[in-house]
Amino acid sequence: MTLADIGAEAAPREHLIDADGRVYAGWRSTFGATAALSVGASTSTIMCFGVFVPYLHRAFGWGIGAIALAATLLSISIMVISPIQGALVDRFGARRIIMISIPLFGLGYAAMSQLSGDINQFYLMWVLVPLLGFGVWPSSYIKVVTGWFDQRLGLAIGVANIGIGIGSVVLPAMIGAVANAYGWRMAYVAVGVLSVVIAWPCAYCFVFERNRPARVQGDSPGEPAPAQRSGAMVGVSVREAWADASFWKILISFLLLGAGSTTLLVNQVAILVDNGMPVPSAVVMQSVIGVSTLCARLFVGWLLDRVAVKRVMPILSLSGAAAMLLYASGATGMTAALCAVLIGIMTGAEFNVLGYALRRYFGPRVLGTLFGTAFAVFQLGGAIATGLVGYARGHTGSYQTSLYFLAAVTALTAVLMCTLGRYRFLDRRPPAPIEAQSASA
């Protein structure tokens, strides 16, 4: 049998409907991850933070700037926890980490309903809540999903990540409705409860399928990966990844992407208002970014299965850089809408590309650790850039210089990603099923 024959034999295993007429277990796991991520830590904290700001301002009289400081503490907590989470997932398996973290995160988020007028308590909670949710950040689910796929790896990552986009649309609207009807305290409780009653059953019933492919890591402490037991290569070690130039190129690229995309997401409305666009129209551009992001997750995921990362990401980075230059030149109207689409496509593609590239270049062995590290670096870039851009805007009265600089560093990511070599972990063999894990796993 030739390698082409083996590849053809493997392909049906990743179709939506398997040979036995059932939905392929890998897709059931992916759809479960989509649902869990829609109410996960990324949506409940980062995407919903700003929704509570006006309610807290009215309730306690805290200044907007003072409340925003908690967002900085949140970013720092994410940067600290992400590499640790990845290492724990690689060491103990995603199932244990996720199933423990979901109720802890929900309880911590609901506890925000008991805030008093002491803003230091508010700051402390935004340090504790991300820590309590140490296992429900995206890298845990990406680790599981990537273990099921090879030929449709990019599409699977895109489908999983679309849950974050869905949550970003639904949760803020729900928070506003609950807060207006029952108060902001009940809104915190509602999000905390939803993060458990949706994510925990989805993770338990769907994310962790029993008959998993051989290339997936084991779930028991100290248990070798099934692929290791079968003698298959499952990837490099953390030390080997750090010694690899490709990993450094990816890290630097995502540091710079974090600076560019995060700054645009946070400041787009203010930039457009400075350009002369009415506030209601500028706010609509945020929705344009949201819709573009959702579409990009699926399309770019599909594209990555057909075109190499080193060709896809440079085009997306240059598109984002072009949008920044147009914003700097005073874009409004339809030009601003085009810019919002380009930014949305770039931001929607980023974590698809990250998960896919790390899996292809370094294998699944320590994917959780590597993804968590890159995610932390991305957050670091965003935290530094948003602070500096805000400082520059206050002193110069314009975003123009900052946008030119961000366009340049975003374009630099195109150069870095373009120099990545060929994939080293492109497994076209059919995944051999293993026996169900023991009840103690």
Side-chain angles (χ1 to χ4, degrees), residues 77-129:
S77 297
I78 295 171
M79 285 187 285
V80 171
I81 197 62
S82 292
I84 298 173
Q85 174 208 11
L88 290 173
V89 168
D90 290 334
R91 175 67 178 84
F92 297 103
R95 176 168 48 181
R96 293 184 176 185
I97 302 302
I98 290 176
M99 300 310 290
I100 292 172
S101 298
I102 288 174
L104 291 177
F105 175 76
L107 182 62
Y109 204 96
M112 298 280 284
S113 63
Q114 302 304 307
L115 288 172
S116 66
D118 185 359
I119 198 169
N120 291 318
Q121 183 189 43
F122 181 63
Y123 294 152
L124 176 62
M125 290 303 298
W126 279 118
V127 172
L128 290 178
V129 168

Side-chain angles (χ1 to χ4, degrees), residues 177-194:
V178 173
N180 290 331
Y182 303 103
W184 62 269
R185 295 183 186 274
M186 187 57 66
Y188 273 121
V189 173
V191 176
V193 170
L194 277 181

Side-chain angles (χ1 to χ4, degrees), residues 150-177:
D150 181 71
Q151 291 181 324
R152 292 172 176 80
L153 176 64
L155 181 59
I157 294 173
V159 171
N161 277 331
I162 205 173
I164 299 175
I166 293 172
S168 300
V169 173
V170 174
L171 281 185
M174 185 211 74
I175 289 170

Side-chain angles (χ1 to χ4, degrees), residues 259-344:
S261 61
T262 303
T263 300
L264 262 295
L265 290 173
V266 171
N267 294 290
Q268 180 184 237
V269 173
I271 291 169
L272 292 174
V273 170
D274 277 2
N275 288 350
M277 201 168 184
V279 173
S281 299
V283 171
V284 169
M285 293 301 104
Q286 290 294 93
S287 299
V288 173
I289 283 185
V291 174
S292 301
T293 297
L294 282 174
C295 295
R297 291 190 192 281
L298 285 178
F299 174 72
V300 174
W302 173 87
L303 188 63
L304 287 171
D305 291 328
R306 291 156 177 81
V307 183
V309 162
K310 66 179 183 179
R311 293 186 177 90
V312 173
M313 197 62 214
I315 294 173
L316 299 176
S317 296
L318 291 175
S319 298
M324 296 172 194
L325 291 176
L326 289 172
Y327 277 142
S329 67
T332 58
M334 293 305 297
T335 304
L338 173 62
C339 292
V341 170
L342 294 176
I343 294 297

